[in-house]
Amino acid sequence: AEGDPVAAVRDGRASLAVIGAERFYRDRLRDRLAGRLGSQLEPGIEAVAVLGERALHVVRRADDVASSLSGRLGVPPEGSGDARLARRAAAAQGAKAARGGAMADLLQAVRQGQLDAALVVTELGDPDLVAALAEGGLALLPWPGAREAPVQLPFARVVRIPAGTYAGQAQAIESLSAQVLLVGPARTTAMSEAGGPAGALGATVAPVSVTEARAIADATGVFEAPDPG
C-alpha cells in the first residue's frame, strides 16, 4: 500500500523502515474474520534494532470514578502507528475508540466532557503530557488487566510508570507499552554470501548485511532485543 513502510521494505523500495512492534504482528481478529490463517507475523520483514518504546497512558477527568476504558475513548490520529496500538489494545478489552486526534485535542475534549478518556501513546515522562497533567483536573489511570494483556497482544509489554512521573500520581501505575523497531527485509535460506537479510529477495535496494545490522543496533544505545526478533 502507498505510504506503508512495511510494504516498501517488502517490495524492495526501501532497505529499512521504522515501525511500532504492533505493526509487526498481524491483527488476528481481523484475519479470522477475513478467513486468513497462518503466521501472526508480517511476512517479508525482520527486526534489526530497537529504537525505543512508547507507552499507553489512560487519562480521564480527576473527578471521574468510572473504570479506565468505559465511555467515549479518544485515540491518536487515524492512520498512525500510535492509533493502531491504542485501537488494538482497546479492542482486546472490548472497548472501541470514538474519535482520533492529537494529544492536546484529546485532552481538551476530556476536560470539556466531549470524551470520557484519552488513550495517549507516547514515551514515559513526555514533557507535553507532564505539562497537561500539571494543569490539574486530569488523572492517569492504570491499564485494566495489564499483566494478562500480552496473551492477546503479543507485541505488548507491561510497563510500570513510576510514582511522581506525572502530577498527582502518588503511586506507580501499570500500563502497556510497545517497542519502536528498525526493520529490514527478512533473511531467507538462500541468503547472499555476505549474509544480507534480503540476499534472495531480488530487491532494488542494497540489502542490510548482518554486520551492518549489528552496527545499527549498537548505535541506537538501546540494549535490548526486538520482541519479534
Side-chain angles (χ1 to χ4, degrees), residues 5 7 17 29 63 70 84 106-107 113 124 134-135 145 181 199 220 224:
L29 175 59
D63 60 357
S70 64
R84 179 190 294 266
L106 295 181
L107 295 179
L124 295 186
E135 294 177 13
L181 301 170
T220 66
E224 60 181 71

Side-chain angles (χ1 to χ4, degrees), residues 4-227:
D4 181 2
V6 170
V9 170
R10 194 160 47 211
D11 298 344
R13 290 177 284 118
S15 56
L16 295 169
V18 177
I19 64 172
E22 73 286 344
R23 182 65 179 85
F24 218 112
Y25 290 87
R26 301 176 66 92
D27 188 326
R28 287 182 289 182
L29 175 59
R30 185 172 298 177
D31 279 355
R32 284 199 298 269
L33 293 176
R36 292 191 296 264
L37 302 176
S39 173
Q40 64 178 325
L41 292 177
E42 283 283 359
I45 60 172
E46 69 175 24
V48 174
V50 180
L51 301 181
E53 193 168 22
R54 69 251 207 267
L56 274 161
H57 297 72
V58 183
V59 181
R60 300 184 73 98
R61 290 185 301 280
D63 60 357
D64 185 352
V65 296
S67 59
S68 298
L69 300 181
S70 64
R72 300 157 298 172
L73 304 181
V75 298
E78 291 301 321
S80 67
D82 290 345
R84 179 190 294 266
L85 172 58
R87 284 183 176 277
R88 289 181 66 175
Q93 290 290 325
K96 187 176 180 180
R99 63 184 256 197
M103 180 199 304
D105 296 334
L106 295 181
L107 295 179
Q108 185 65 14
V110 172
R111 289 184 188 279
Q112 296 176 348
Q114 298 168 357
L115 288 173
D116 296 298
L119 304 187
V120 177
V121 180
T122 187
E123 62 184 355
L124 295 186
D126 181 310
D128 291 334
L129 185 55
V130 168
L133 293 180
E135 294 177 13
L138 298 175
L140 187 68
L141 276 68
W143 189 267
R147 292 186 178 272
E148 291 74 39
V151 175
Q152 293 180 300
L153 304 169
F155 53 82
R157 294 176 152 207
V158 179
V159 63
R160 190 172 178 83
I161 305 176
T165 301
Y166 302 100
Q169 185 196 344
Q171 298 179 340
I173 289 177
E174 286 191 343
S175 190
L176 301 180
S177 69
Q179 292 177 329
V180 179
L181 301 170
L182 184 68
V183 301
R187 278 173 276 195
T188 70
T189 55
M191 288 195 317
S192 68
E193 193 174 66
L201 296 183
T204 58
V205 295
V208 180
S209 70
V210 173
T211 300
E212 290 170 333
R214 288 172 179 164
I216 293 171
D218 290 343
T220 66
V222 181
F223 301 105
E224 60 181 71
D227 283 340

